[in-house]
Amino acid sequence: MGRDWGAVFGVADEADLFEHFERGAYRGREYRYLPDARHGVERGTAVLGDAVVRGFPSIPRVLVLDPGIPEFFDGPVTVEEKLNGYNVRVADVRADEWGAGDRDDPVGPLAFTRSGHVCRYTTEVVREGCDLDAFFADHPDLVVCGELVGPENPYTAHDYDGVDSVAFRAFDLRDRETGDPIPVDERRALCERYGFEQVRSFGTYEPDRAVDAVADAIDELDERGREGVVLASADGADRLKYTTSAIHRSDLEHAFALPFDYGRDFVFSRVIREVFQAVERDEDPAETRERARKLGESILLPAVETVKAVDRGEVVGEDHRVRGDPAVLDALLAQFRDQGLDVHVRDDRREGDERVVEFVKRAGATADKTAHYLEGGTLDE
Amino acid sequence: MGRDWGAVFGVADEADLFEHFERGAYRGREYRYLPDARHGVERGTAVLGDAVVRGFPSIPRVLVLDPGIPEFFDGPVTVEEKLNGYNVRVADVRADEWGAGDRDDPVGPLAFTRSGHVCRYTTEVVREGCDLDAFFADHPDLVVCGELVGPENPYTAHDYDGVDSVAFRAFDLRDRETGDPIPVDERRALCERYGFEQVRSFGTYEPDRAVDAVADAIDELDERGREGVVLASADGADRLKYTTSAIHRSDLEHAFALPFDYGRDFVFSRVIREVFQAVERDEDPAETRERARKLGESILLPAVETVKAVDRGEVVGEDHRVRGDPAVLDALLAQFRDQGLDVHVRDDRREGDERVVEFVKRAGATADKTAHYLEGGTLDE
């Protein structure tokens, strides 16, 4: 490694930082990635030879729009939609940076998941869906950040109007190595120029005016079952998020379908978001009761269905469907298995020249604990 | 200390065990108590000079009655009501065991809370309510275990028919030093003989038959808003508990009235109990939806009320009312403050020769975090 990594990451002891990196491989080349934030370096940061791709920063949340927004921002705020898919960064790592590995092809643009894995499946999707070559020819040191959305999605499947399979929606352009964002207006103009589909903007407002603009956007998005908004200062440096009741319930439904895997971690934070939203909206008692009913249903009903499914001997877990080049889908399943996931293929078929695989990531804790308690097992609480 | 504590507690290294004990005092005499289970010694175990009072053991729970009960028991099972109050052990520690301290009065029967504190208030309540002298004259080495229930209750306030203030209900007699229980029939006969009011028995059954008996008892108790049942083998050694939907919701209402103090710890376990109960009862969809609605209301509504109360600048916490001898109530409030609780007296008045104090144990996390988020504070999740 020829670089001064301490200077790159702003840490005194680079060895101490690199201890927390894990190793991955993409088509014969090795890379390192940081699965959790450490020493001020973002989760998902990847090092590929001499190239660095910084992780996408975690965005703080407010529980009340007023005074949450005016307290946080002191200049114009752009309100953009937050989508429910998985966070992807696309960077053009070059062979002369990474080293030859055991292949002699050029590397080309790569897609990184939130935790820093290079995902070959996602890489193929963004290469097919976006004109990356033109963009990276002009901006080799930027990373394109976006959400991979749609129903045929190996990480977070969710329906979006006009997306039959899977699609990329850009929401940020950042310096690959420093992680610094470019200003919002410039980013939206660049995405437009290079033809990247991008997240919807609800406009730019002074902080006091943004409160009502966000409330209106949230009403509309909630109605349509969408996730929420991200607010950004003009320079892109300050971000804040706020989400709909619809996504709180959707998160809970997902988590309580696999209660012993996800329920415990998810439930409290979503309840708290609902509580403050109910208070800020100054709901009447009937509206709050209706919110409570929906909350209870999104917790209890999926868990009841899963316990019944385990009782019938079914495989329980996260169901996904993916479509694409057969070799790429093989690489995707192999990647999940390498990560220790227990992948069970439910269906594997051809549709034209595409392969379609339906699989489940088995939820071991839910399967095992549910079976144990159904057999009369005890617990100590 | 004249005793071989390693032998008493069955541990190799008594110093290692005693490191985990904390120190308390009762009217000038010191004692030690174990606030968490360690080395196989129960939480709440107390050492007073040469005397030992073992902690009350934690009782395992099943999530399904069938096959939970027949898997756990291999002989007759007595089904008794579990009450919603606080767990108290009463032992007759003598001055010749404990040492004189700085007082020359006899010690007399003492009441220990679940965590091992000697509570002067509870001691007065059980001394007034039970004929302890006759019992301990005949059975000096037993500890009387029971629940202190009723609305005027400094720990867990809950209404019970026929209890205007506070009352003791015995549910166990155990060897003070070994913690071994005496057989259930003998225990119920002894309580009867000495006039201790005791928890209701729903009868004794073979394990297979106990399933229906418990289901019927739970139906009746749930209807009346009561907590549940404890099952015991004839020798008292094996115990199992099962609880009503009513108490799951009541626990959640209590926890989410103070969400940042209790919500996170309580919510998942209660949801899981509801899920398995819904499945075992083979409810139709409408019944499960009704259960979900009540679950959602018991989570959301109390939290919304508390956030509004904090917004109005009110003190939030656990409200209690107690009644009794003025000096004893002073001792109770002093004891809570010694334990680090932030006690705020809302009202303090005389009714006849009794003093009545209404106080709140302030919930610091809920007060502080709620105010922070209402002021627009951010969070990272």
Side-chain angles (χ1 to χ4, degrees):
Chain A
M1 302 287 167
R3 303 197 56 186
D4 177 355
W5 294 113
V8 169
F9 290 119
V11 298
D13 183 351
E14 63 180 64
D16 188 39
L17 174 62
F18 275 108
E19 249 180 41
H20 301 290
F21 277 71
E22 297 187 5
R23 286 177 188 280
Y26 172 78
R27 309 194 80 174
R29 288 184 173 89
E30 280 214 342
Y31 63 94
R32 290 177 292 174
Y33 66 97
L34 187 63
D36 293 297
R38 296 275 174 177
H39 300 287
V41 179
E42 303 81 7
R43 168 182 176 224
T45 296
V47 172
L48 312 90
D50 284 342
V52 180
V53 179
R54 295 295 284 255
F56 193 81
S58 127
I59 295 179
R61 168 190 299 279
V62 280
L63 294 177
V64 297
L65 299 174
D66 183 16
I69 295 172
E71 282 289 323
F72 192 81
F73 292 102
D74 54 14
V77 182
T78 299
V79 181
E80 293 175 295
E81 184 173 0
K82 181 180 196 316
L83 298 174
N84 183 22
Y86 64 103
N87 179 298
V88 172
R89 287 161 290 142
V90 185
D92 187 29
V93 177
R94 296 174 297 275
D96 63 312
E97 300 174 294
W98 198 352
D102 55 11
R103 302 180 59 87
D104 55 6
D105 58 336
V107 181
L110 299 176
F112 297 80
T113 65
R114 189 72 188 255
S115 64
H117 284 283
V118 179
C119 176
R120 184 164 159 203
Y121 164 83
T122 309
T123 296
E124 297 295 329
V125 170
V126 295
R127 285 181 183 181
E128 280 174 26
C130 307
D131 185 3
L132 297 169
D133 292 342
F135 177 82
F136 285 121
D138 297 338
H139 303 283
D141 297 329
L142 292 183
V143 57
V144 185
C145 308
E147 198 83 354
L148 219 83
V149 299
E152 295 188 334
N153 183 317
Y155 297 92
T156 304
H158 193 79
D159 283 323
Y160 275 95
D161 293 346
V163 181
D164 291 331
S165 176
V166 68
F168 181 77
R169 296 286 180 266
F171 55 65
D172 225 348
L173 296 174
R174 290 176 177 258
D175 185 273
R176 200 175 77 173
E177 184 157 313
T178 65
D180 293 337
I182 68 172
V184 173
D185 286 349
E186 190 178 336
R187 181 242 300 166
R188 294 197 67 93
L190 276 179
C191 286
E192 177 81 25
R193 183 179 320 154
Y194 290 96
F196 298 158
E197 288 202 71
Q198 53 184 326
V199 296
R200 172 177 169 194
S201 169
F202 290 90
T204 299
Y205 307 86
E206 289 303 317
D208 284 336
R209 301 286 306 278
V211 170
D212 283 343
V214 171
D216 289 345
I218 288 290
D219 278 348
E220 183 207 315
L221 293 170
D222 186 51
E223 186 91 4
R224 295 166 59 207
R226 296 215 176 197
E227 176 161 358
V229 295
V230 174
L231 284 63
S233 57
D235 63 3
D238 297 318
R239 307 282 171 109
L240 200 58
K241 67 188 172 197
Y242 188 83
T243 47
T244 62
S245 184
I247 194 72
H248 304 157
R249 293 196 304 273
S250 167
D251 284 352
L252 288 170
E253 282 162 16
H254 174 261
F256 277 95
L258 305 170
F260 295 104
D261 292 85
Y262 301 118
R264 196 184 290 271
D265 289 342
F266 269 68
V267 61
F268 185 71
S269 57
R270 271 63 179 185
V271 167
I272 292 301
R273 294 172 200 170
E274 285 290 287
V275 169
F276 281 83
Q277 194 167 87
V279 172
E280 180 167 31
R281 295 171 69 97
D282 200 19
E283 294 178 338
D284 65 36
E287 286 171 315
T288 302
R289 280 187 185 272
E290 176 64 5
R291 185 186 287 270
R293 180 185 68 75
K294 290 179 179 172
L295 173 73
E297 291 187 355
S298 60
I299 293 172
L300 192 74
L301 304 187
V304 164
E305 289 312 308
T306 294
V307 171
K308 288 179 178 173
V310 171
D311 199 29
R312 292 190 299 263
E314 296 173 11
V315 171
V316 295
E318 291 176 68
D319 274 280
H320 296 277
R321 184 177 67 238
V322 286
R323 170 186 308 268
D325 177 78
V328 172
L329 299 194
D330 276 337
L332 178 69
L333 298 178
Q335 172 185 314
F336 285 149
R337 289 179 174 130
D338 282 350
Q339 288 168 15
L341 298 181
D342 184 2
V343 173
H344 173 85
V345 173
R346 295 201 197 263
D347 190 47
D348 190 343
R349 61 182 182 272
R350 297 300 290 245
E351 293 188 3
D353 59 353
E354 285 180 326
R355 180 181 175 195
V356 177
V357 179
E358 296 183 5
F359 64 94
V360 55
K361 296 175 185 166
R362 287 193 63 217
T366 295
D368 296 348
K369 290 198 179 183
T370 302
H372 173 71
Y373 295 134
L374 283 173
E375 287 158 11
T378 62
L379 70 171
D380 285 322
E381 62 182 14
Chain B
M1 302 286 165
R3 303 197 55 185
D4 177 356
W5 294 111
V8 168
F9 290 118
V11 297
D13 183 350
E14 63 180 65
D16 188 39
L17 175 62
F18 275 108
E19 249 182 41
H20 300 291
F21 276 71
E22 297 188 4
R23 286 177 189 280
Y26 173 77
R27 308 195 79 174
R29 287 183 174 89
E30 279 214 344
Y31 63 93
R32 290 176 293 175
Y33 66 96
L34 187 63
D36 293 296
R38 295 276 175 177
H39 299 287
V41 179
E42 302 82 7
R43 168 182 176 223
T45 295
V47 172
L48 312 92
D50 283 343
V52 180
V53 180
R54 295 295 284 254
F56 192 81
S58 124
I59 296 179
R61 168 190 299 278
V62 279
L63 294 177
V64 296
L65 299 174
D66 183 17
I69 296 172
E71 282 289 323
F72 192 81
F73 292 102
D74 54 14
V77 182
T78 299
V79 181
E80 293 174 296
E81 185 172 359
K82 181 179 196 317
L83 297 175
N84 182 21
Y86 64 101
N87 179 299
V88 171
R89 287 160 291 142
V90 185
D92 188 28
V93 177
R94 296 174 298 274
D96 64 314
E97 300 175 293
W98 198 351
D102 56 11
R103 302 180 60 87
D104 56 4
D105 59 335
V107 180
L110 299 177
F112 297 79
T113 65
R114 190 70 188 256
S115 64
H117 284 283
V118 179
C119 176
R120 184 162 160 205
Y121 164 84
T122 310
T123 295
E124 296 296 328
V125 170
V126 296
R127 284 181 183 180
E128 281 176 26
C130 307
D131 185 3
L132 297 169
D133 291 344
F135 177 81
F136 284 122
D138 297 340
H139 303 284
D141 297 329
L142 292 184
V143 57
V144 186
C145 308
E147 198 83 353
L148 220 82
V149 298
E152 295 187 334
N153 183 316
Y155 297 92
T156 305
H158 192 79
D159 283 322
Y160 275 96
D161 292 347
V163 181
D164 291 331
S165 176
V166 67
F168 181 77
R169 297 286 181 268
F171 56 64
D172 224 346
L173 297 173
R174 289 175 177 260
D175 185 274
R176 199 175 78 173
E177 183 156 316
T178 65
D180 292 337
I182 69 172
V184 172
D185 286 349
E186 191 179 334
R187 180 244 297 166
R188 292 197 68 91
L190 276 178
C191 287
E192 177 81 26
R193 182 179 320 153
Y194 290 95
F196 298 157
E197 288 202 74
Q198 54 184 323
V199 296
R200 172 177 168 195
S201 170
F202 289 90
T204 300
Y205 307 87
E206 289 303 317
D208 284 336
R209 301 288 305 278
V211 170
D212 284 343
V214 170
D216 290 345
I218 288 289
D219 279 347
E220 183 207 315
L221 293 170
D222 186 51
E223 186 92 3
R224 294 167 58 207
R226 296 214 176 199
E227 176 160 1
V229 295
V230 174
L231 285 63
S233 58
D235 63 3
D238 298 318
R239 306 282 171 111
L240 200 59
K241 67 187 171 198
Y242 188 84
T243 47
T244 62
S245 184
I247 194 73
H248 304 158
R249 292 196 305 270
S250 166
D251 285 352
L252 288 171
E253 283 162 15
H254 174 260
F256 277 95
L258 304 171
F260 296 104
D261 291 85
Y262 301 119
R264 196 184 289 272
D265 288 343
F266 269 68
V267 59
F268 185 70
S269 58
R270 271 61 179 187
V271 167
I272 292 300
R273 294 173 199 169
E274 286 291 285
V275 169
F276 281 82
Q277 194 167 86
V279 172
E280 179 167 33
R281 296 171 68 99
D282 201 18
E283 294 178 338
D284 64 35
E287 287 171 316
T288 302
R289 281 187 183 272
E290 176 65 6
R291 186 185 286 270
R293 180 185 67 76
K294 291 178 178 172
L295 173 73
E297 291 187 355
S298 59
I299 293 172
L300 192 74
L301 304 187
V304 165
E305 289 312 308
T306 294
V307 171
K308 289 180 178 173
V310 171
D311 200 27
R312 292 190 300 262
E314 296 173 13
V315 171
V316 295
E318 292 177 66
D319 274 280
H320 296 278
R321 185 177 67 237
V322 287
R323 169 186 306 269
D325 177 78
V328 171
L329 299 194
D330 277 336
L332 178 69
L333 297 179
Q335 172 184 312
F336 285 149
R337 289 178 174 133
D338 283 350
Q339 288 167 15
L341 298 182
D342 183 3
V343 173
H344 172 86
V345 173
R346 294 201 197 262
D347 190 48
D348 189 345
R349 62 182 181 270
R350 299 299 291 243
E351 292 188 3
D353 59 353
E354 285 180 328
R355 179 181 175 195
V356 177
V357 179
E358 295 182 4
F359 64 95
V360 55
K361 296 176 186 166
R362 286 194 64 218
T366 295
D368 296 347
K369 291 196 178 183
T370 301
H372 173 72
Y373 295 134
L374 283 173
E375 288 158 11
T378 61
L379 71 171
D380 285 321
E381 62 182 14

